[in-house]
Amino acid sequence: MPKFATSPGTRDILAPDSARWRHFQQVFADVVEPAGYAHIIPPMFEDLGVFLRVGETTEIVTKEMYDFEDKGGRRIALRPEQTASVCRAFVEHRPVTPWKVWYGGPNFRYEKPQQGRYRQFDQVGIEALGPDDPQLDAEVIALAMQFYAQLGLRQVRLSINSLGDSGDRDRYATALRAHFSAHLDALSAESRATLERNPLRVLDSKRSEDAAVIAAAPKMADHLSADAATHFAHVQAALRSASIQFVVDDRLVRGLDYYRRTTFEFVSTALSAAHTAIGGGGRYDGLVADLGGPETPGIGFALGLDRTLLACDAEGVFAAPASRVDVFVVDVTGGAEATSICSALRAAGVGADRAYEGKSMKSQMKAADRSGARIAIIIGDDERTTNTAIIRTMDDGSQQSAQRDNLVASVRQALGR
Ligand code: ATP
Ligand code: MG
């Protein structure tokens, strides 16, 4: 038994998956940076108040927060998400608008760990603050779709909804509360408890007992103000003209209370079970003001890296990048040759690795296999005396002899670069 293991809901990401994680962020940056989104790296912990705002009643904030008092007596939280941090940064730095940023990195939520649900999980996301232009809503959604396409994902379904402005949302919550209260007996115990806190979240219940009462519930669409309804119509028109397919799901509420107007979610139809949501987002037009800034509309999304990679596995796309070790040097003459050959190759920009401790030929060849190198350079006693080296192509086992003096050039040629 090892003395320590990772805490529940956390994992070590080992190679080759770790390279895939890094590549994921790079692909994301390559999609959003050309669209004008600059990288922001918010801290991983902040004042609890950034996340725990007045009226915020959802699980993320009430039950799942990693909060603690630090040695200076401050109430601190590990960030459960990054939108609130970005808005806090906006208030702190007052950049000119539109302010368009992207981020990537871990978040922390005290969840019940299971496949696709962890206590430390990664997200990439964008936020755009300033305009409340529906064209911007469509841009944000389109960038997420472009990113999924870039990964190679095909089975991503986009659902959108409008939660209206804050007044609409409150009136809708009242109507829902009345409806659910009139049918309390038909609701699950969990949904009755949710109703106390936030009637909108009852719509999110996946319990079969609740399905009928939810189906009969009043619809958000009937509670939208004229402004919110027009905004939503324009978002849909912009998505249609960009040929982005979507379904309007008027039961779509999201996990945070700060959402207003447009909300959306991306589901992988290649995944089964409870972790099909691979990303989501929406407008949060009141959040900046809540954090002490000027009234500033905002919209963004966060995509779950862990789950998106599960979706990639399910669709057989976005494989781990190839090994960056191009050459493995097998030296059975003591290791000094491997040292000088590796140095020369690395200095020339060719990835090179080797074995240590004077291992046998067999053991070094095994290591060469494991390294993922396309080529092995083999130095035996003969090669050392004749000042040559064997260049072996790993996948077909073909071998050729090369002069030590121009080994780097011969390797480059064998690698085709
Ligand atoms: P869920 O309903 O699945 O709990 P959520 O609404 O809490 O999701 P968001 O806060 O909107 O999720 O985060 C956006 C994305 O981040 C989710 O769609 C999901 O892919 C991912 N995500 C959220 N929580 C976790 C977690 N605990 N582990 C792994 N990924 C997560
Ligand atoms: Mg959640």
Side-chain angles (χ1 to χ4, degrees):
M1 275 289 277
K3 199 164 171 185
F4 295 109
T6 48
S7 293
T10 70
R11 299 161 296 153
D12 296 313
I13 309 300
L14 305 178
D17 240 19
S18 46
R20 206 178 174 211
W21 277 50
R22 216 173 51 229
H23 190 42
F24 187 95
Q25 273 214 12
Q26 190 56 52
V27 171
F28 188 71
D30 289 346
V31 168
V32 298
E33 282 185 346
Y37 293 77
H39 195 192
I40 179 171
I41 308 176
M44 288 196 208
F45 62 83
E46 308 224 14
D47 192 300
L48 175 65
V50 171
F51 308 108
L52 191 67
R53 290 167 310 273
V54 182
E56 187 71 59
T57 56
T58 49
E59 292 82 357
I60 293 174
V61 169
T62 53
K63 291 200 310 224
E64 300 174 357
M65 193 87 83
Y66 271 94
D67 55 333
F68 58 94
E69 194 178 299
D70 75 3
K71 290 182 179 22
R74 296 174 196 87
R75 293 293 291 165
I76 298 289
L78 302 186
R79 64 182 185 206
E81 52 116 8
Q82 292 171 66
T83 304
S85 297
V86 167
C87 289
R88 191 267 314 137
F90 178 82
V91 177
E92 193 167 332
H93 305 289
R94 297 293 173 94
V96 290
T97 56
W99 194 50
K100 304 208 291 186
V101 295
W102 75 271
Y103 56 77
N107 306 309
F108 307 87
R109 295 182 192 174
Y110 196 80
E111 303 230 41
K112 195 164 160 229
Q114 54 197 285
Q115 163 98 310
R117 190 174 291 285
Y118 312 99
R119 290 183 176 170
Q120 176 177 335
F121 64 96
D122 260 55
Q123 286 181 334
V124 293
I126 63 177
E127 311 293 347
L129 283 93
D132 73 353
D133 189 336
Q135 300 291 336
L136 178 59
D137 303 36
E139 169 180 303
V140 164
I141 292 171
L143 286 170
M145 294 303 274
Q146 192 189 328
F147 173 60
Y148 289 133
Q150 205 65 39
L151 293 176
L153 288 173
R154 292 161 166 276
Q155 300 178 51
V156 178
R157 205 184 58 213
L158 164 65
S159 306
I160 64 172
N161 191 20
S162 175
L163 293 176
D165 293 313
S166 62
D168 309 346
R169 203 185 147 116
D170 293 346
R171 280 188 296 121
Y172 182 51
T174 306
L176 275 181
R177 195 183 293 281
H179 170 78
F180 289 130
S181 299
H183 298 89
L184 268 190
D185 295 347
L187 282 180
S188 65
E190 288 74 11
S191 286
R192 285 200 297 268
T194 310
L195 179 59
E196 293 282 302
R197 290 197 309 276
N198 183 346
L200 264 72
R201 290 297 283 177
V202 176
L203 296 177
D204 225 14
S205 165
K206 307 284 186 291
R207 294 178 178 273
S208 51
E209 313 95 279
D210 298 329
V213 187
I214 289 176
K219 298 207 182 321
M220 183 72 232
D222 300 327
H223 292 77
L224 292 184
S225 66
D227 276 1
T230 305
H231 184 97
F232 193 40
H234 284 150
V235 173
Q236 293 181 54
L239 289 175
R240 272 191 212 99
S241 64
S243 305
I244 292 173
Q245 303 213 333
F246 60 91
V247 293
V248 176
D249 174 0
D250 62 12
R251 297 296 185 229
L252 178 70
V253 292
R254 307 257 317 118
L256 289 155
D257 283 342
Y258 55 59
Y259 283 111
R260 302 279 178 271
R261 295 196 173 194
T262 316
T263 53
F264 50 92
E265 189 160 77
F266 304 99
V267 161
S268 165
T269 53
L271 290 176
S272 52
H275 58 271
T276 58
I278 55 173
R283 282 207 160 268
Y284 41 83
D285 292 349
L287 185 53
V288 170
D290 261 5
L291 288 163
E295 278 295 340
T296 310
I299 181 166
F301 63 68
L303 313 181
L305 178 150
D306 311 66
R307 276 189 218 171
T308 305
L309 287 182
L310 290 173
C312 289
D313 293 340
E315 290 200 41
V317 299
F318 196 64
S323 168
R324 300 186 65 181
V325 174
D326 304 304
V327 177
F328 196 93
V329 182
V330 173
D331 172 8
V332 290
T333 70
E337 299 293 320
T339 301
S340 69
I341 294 172
C342 280
S343 300
L345 288 172
R346 290 169 187 166
V350 178
D353 197 7
R354 55 168 296 177
Y356 306 94
E357 300 179 317
K359 298 280 191 216
S360 69
M361 172 71 107
K362 192 173 157 203
S363 146
Q364 292 196 39
M365 286 307 295
K366 254 197 201 151
D369 249 340
R370 272 198 307 269
S371 75
R374 285 164 53 202
I375 282 172
I377 291 175
I378 302 168
I379 309 283
D381 291 328
D382 285 355
E383 286 72 32
R384 194 158 70 164
T385 34
T386 55
N387 216 18
T388 57
I390 294 170
I391 297 181
R392 178 186 172 93
T393 307
M394 296 302 285
D395 45 344
D396 64 5
S398 64
Q399 300 194 160
Q400 67 187 84
S401 182
Q403 295 300 315
R404 267 299 297 277
D405 296 343
N406 54 7
L407 188 55
V408 172
S410 307
V411 164
R412 276 232 172 86
Q413 197 177 22
L415 288 170
R417 51 187 225 214

